[in-house]
Amino acid sequence: MTEHTKIDHSMDNLDDTTSSTSGPTVLEKSKPRSEKMASNKVECNACPVLCQITDGRTGACDRWGNEDGNLVRIDPVILMRRLDDTGLATRHEPVAGDAPEGLVNARTRDVEANAVSDPNDLFVSGIGSGTTYPDYKPAPFIVSSKANDVDMVTVVTEGIFSYCSFKVKIDTDRYLGPEQSNIRFKGEIVGHVTTAEYGSQMLSLGGVHHLTGGSKKEGRMTCDMMMALGNKEAVELSIDGGAQLVVQAGKAPIVDGVEEKRMRVGCGSAAIGIFAKQWFGHTDEVVVVDDHITGVLSEHQAGRCLDIPPTGIKMKGRKSTPGRYFQVANPGNGWGGTDISDPLAIIEGFNPDVAWPGLRMLITSTTGEHAEYYELDEDLKPQRKPMPDALQKTVERIGENCEPSLASVLFLAGAGGSLRAGVTENPIWLTNSIKTSLVNVTCGGAPAYIWPGGGITVMVDVLRMPDNSFGYVPTPAIVAPIEFSMKLDDYTRLGGHADAVRSIQDVVEKDRHRIIEWHDENSPWPLGHKPMLA
């Protein structure tokens, strides 16, 4: 039996932790692959496509162009100016019960360069920074600045991501489609339905298999859809065997042409638990219709604790535990995410030995959007009656407790590949330094959640990123900004490209840039903070 290879990534056992390349001379850009290329063209090596760009034109991605024979990044690099909290007239300390003030928190505004008195108040983002693909040289910007009198370094680039996707959370109790069903964009498969979470349906969109593993058209459509979604644009999707959707980050989803309003207050069982005391004395029975768990007050533990007597109600579906029923109907866009339009369709009847004429019954959905009140006649048949005021208030209370229905879009990508070489000559040191909280990772200044386990798998809410943070290359792949921030001493220790470090003042003076005021009440300033580890 052979012994497993032992791996030691620590920096303690290395003789020299500084950059030590002494190999070949690294060209600023490679020689053109075609000697016959016209003299008025330049070959772009910012991605594997290697466009030959005529003077005054741009490449296939519209991000790089030929300007007087020089390859240039078309858009300026985005610098973010930190806002002083005291300068925000609209900011206030939240109090209990406050509704979120605008779920789209990131706010931006252009700033004139002469309005910045201290360059240390600026953060260099990866947006518009360009790339050094295939990462044979230092990242485009390696910038020093001070934060709380500590020397810091931020390494930024525009990462080219094939291994990436968007995880989309749709707040709705309506049926969107079967789990694992394909999701299409302009007829091409671009993702699939995953699990339903509490009051939400999860979608997985994009991914390397759709970008590069299918037809060219599938790859193009996947890339178009992903870039639009990341840039906070509305995207129309269709689910095989399910609904038509319009999804846009931070906006209410539109399901089969109807804009969603409310996220359910909970499942039917949870609603019984929440409102049982408020129904007590005003009705004899309550049924809360839900695609997952339909609740019945008189049988539920909450009803038992209130000593509510049995009503003899007989429900359809499969009884799980007392007062909790599965599969009372098929999923759909009717009451409580089921396919029913008549709530009595899920009731088989009443036991004549238990029920009585005049028995009062409220049936409601988990959002309160549907509700009816009934009383049993002499034959123990439910008859619709006007809703008593007391019960109407409880139905309205259900609606008050429903949060707004939104579509949330999170970018998920693996950054543990070659772009690390633009940070350090020994990429594993960057990975380890993130895992030991020495290096903060942000995407367009927004905090990135770092998944546990190997690699640098980041996840970020696109709403926290500035507009138009995402681009593409025609391979196809998605281009997204990523920044690594750390103390200058730590950057030197992890074998960073110390010779390539520039001051933030130098960037302001020499590089084409755009300064924006950037503020997200839920995001810390990128410098001086630890990464958001699992």
Side-chain angles (χ1 to χ4, degrees):
M1 179 180 293
T2 58
E3 185 178 347
H4 289 292
T5 302
K6 294 182 178 177
I7 298 174
D8 183 358
H9 293 311
S10 72
M11 290 181 272
D12 298 334
N13 298 328
L14 297 170
D15 296 331
D16 186 2
T17 59
T18 58
S19 304
S20 57
T21 298
S22 57
T25 300
V26 179
L27 301 176
E28 183 62 23
K29 62 180 181 180
S30 63
K31 297 177 181 176
R33 291 174 180 261
S34 173
E35 295 180 354
K36 298 179 181 178
M37 185 176 72
S39 59
N40 66 336
K41 292 185 176 181
V42 296
E43 184 180 85
C44 176
N45 58 355
C47 87
V49 175
L50 303 174
C51 292
Q52 295 181 4
I53 309 173
T54 304
D55 189 15
R57 306 291 294 272
T58 62
C61 65
D62 291 329
R63 297 167 52 243
W64 294 86
N66 181 345
E67 186 178 271
D68 297 328
N70 297 312
L71 180 67
V72 297
R73 179 71 171 89
I74 298 300
D75 303 309
V77 63
I78 297 296
L79 310 182
M80 297 174 167
R81 185 172 77 157
R82 182 179 191 176
L83 284 176
D84 185 346
D85 291 349
T86 59
L88 290 174
T90 57
R91 185 161 187 172
H92 69 280
E93 291 300 321
V95 298
D98 262 4
E101 182 186 354
L103 295 174
V104 182
N105 292 315
R107 296 194 290 267
T108 61
R109 184 172 68 87
D110 281 309
V111 178
E112 296 295 332
N114 57 16
V116 180
S117 57
D118 185 355
N120 289 304
D121 288 336
L122 297 175
F123 175 75
V124 182
S125 80
I127 306 168
S129 67
T131 181
T132 50
Y133 177 86
D135 304 306
Y136 59 91
K137 57 185 178 181
F141 288 91
I142 303 178
V143 181
S144 65
S145 62
K146 281 185 177 294
N148 299 322
D149 291 327
V150 177
D151 290 322
M152 305 291 294
V153 166
T154 301
V155 185
V156 309
T157 189
E158 288 181 308
I160 300 174
F161 296 101
S162 295
Y163 289 90
C164 65
S165 64
F166 286 92
K167 305 307 176 193
V168 180
K169 172 173 168 283
I170 307 290
D171 299 334
T172 182
D173 64 348
R174 300 187 202 285
Y175 180 65
L176 300 187
E179 196 168 304
Q180 303 180 25
S181 288
N182 288 327
I183 300 174
R184 297 177 185 270
F185 174 71
K186 296 183 178 178
E188 294 295 320
I189 299 173
V190 297
H192 63 274
V193 178
T194 67
T195 54
E197 305 301 342
Y198 205 80
S200 306
Q201 177 64 61
M202 308 298 289
L203 311 178
S204 178
L205 299 175
V208 68
H209 292 296
H210 294 298
L211 281 169
T212 63
S215 66
K216 286 186 178 180
K217 186 178 180 184
E218 179 180 341
R220 287 199 304 272
M221 291 300 102
T222 300
C223 191
D224 288 352
M225 177 275 301
M226 293 179 72
M227 193 172 77
L229 205 57
N231 287 332
K232 309 169 191 175
E233 298 173 9
V235 172
E236 293 187 37
L237 303 169
S238 62
I239 298 175
D240 288 358
Q244 301 286 321
L245 292 176
V246 178
V247 177
Q248 185 174 10
K251 303 291 185 183
I254 299 175
V255 181
D256 289 332
V258 179
E259 182 176 298
E260 283 289 81
K261 299 294 185 185
R262 299 175 184 175
M263 183 179 179
R264 71 178 184 174
V265 70
C267 69
S269 175
I272 292 284
I274 294 171
F275 297 102
K277 285 180 62 178
Q278 299 180 45
W279 288 320
F280 183 80
H282 301 297
T283 184
D284 302 304
E285 186 63 277
V286 178
V287 176
V288 182
V289 183
D290 180 45
D291 174 47
H292 180 209
I293 302 174
T294 291
V296 177
L297 176 63
S298 64
E299 300 177 1
H300 196 276
Q301 186 64 14
R304 298 292 297 274
C305 291
L306 294 172
D307 200 24
I308 293 176
T311 61
I313 191 171
K314 297 178 180 178
M315 298 293 299
K316 293 183 178 177
R318 178 165 64 88
K319 189 172 185 177
S320 168
T321 55
R324 302 168 76 250
Y325 290 84
F326 296 151
Q327 302 163 2
V328 296
N330 295 317
N333 293 329
W335 282 57
T338 70
D339 63 346
I340 64 167
S341 55
D342 178 4
L344 297 181
I346 63 173
I347 298 175
E348 289 186 340
F350 287 83
N351 184 343
D353 295 332
V354 181
W356 61 94
L359 186 152
R360 304 165 297 173
M361 178 174 65
L362 169 69
I363 307 181
T364 179
S365 66
T366 49
T367 61
E369 292 175 298
H370 297 95
E372 294 285 0
Y373 173 73
Y374 300 89
E375 292 181 5
L376 299 190
D377 61 16
E378 294 298 324
D379 297 323
L380 302 182
K381 301 293 183 185
Q383 302 297 326
R384 185 177 288 113
K385 299 286 185 180
M387 182 84 70
D389 291 341
L391 291 180
Q392 182 62 41
K393 289 180 180 178
T394 66
V395 172
E396 292 171 358
R397 179 65 58 85
I398 292 175
E400 292 172 8
N401 279 270
C402 294
E403 297 177 67
S405 178
L406 291 175
S408 304
V409 179
L410 275 70
F411 177 62
L412 178 63
S418 64
L419 69 79
R420 295 178 298 167
V423 183
T424 169
E425 291 190 345
N426 204 349
I428 190 63
W429 292 354
L430 174 64
T431 306
N432 292 345
S433 296
I434 293 170
K435 302 296 174 62
T436 53
S437 297
L438 293 176
V439 178
N440 189 22
V441 185
T442 53
C443 292
Y449 174 84
I450 309 299
W451 278 62
I456 306 173
T457 305
V458 300
M459 187 166 67
V460 59
D461 183 352
V462 302
L463 281 183
R464 292 187 171 188
M465 302 172 68
D467 294 344
N468 299 314
S469 292
F470 291 86
Y472 81 103
V473 294
T475 53
I478 289 295
V479 175
I482 189 164
E483 305 98 21
F484 303 95
S485 302
M486 67 210 85
K487 294 179 182 176
L488 177 60
D489 291 344
D490 290 330
Y491 187 55
T492 302
R493 274 181 53 78
L494 66 82
H497 303 292
D499 293 342
V501 176
R502 303 167 55 195
S503 70
I504 182 66
Q505 180 68 45
D506 189 54
V507 173
V508 172
E509 291 176 354
K510 298 180 180 177
D511 288 84
R512 200 158 54 89
H513 63 271
R514 175 187 165 205
I515 302 176
I516 61 172
E517 283 187 341
W518 179 80
H519 177 66
D520 177 356
E521 294 181 0
N522 298 317
S523 298
W525 185 241
L527 298 179
H529 282 271
K530 294 183 178 181
M532 196 157 56
L533 299 177

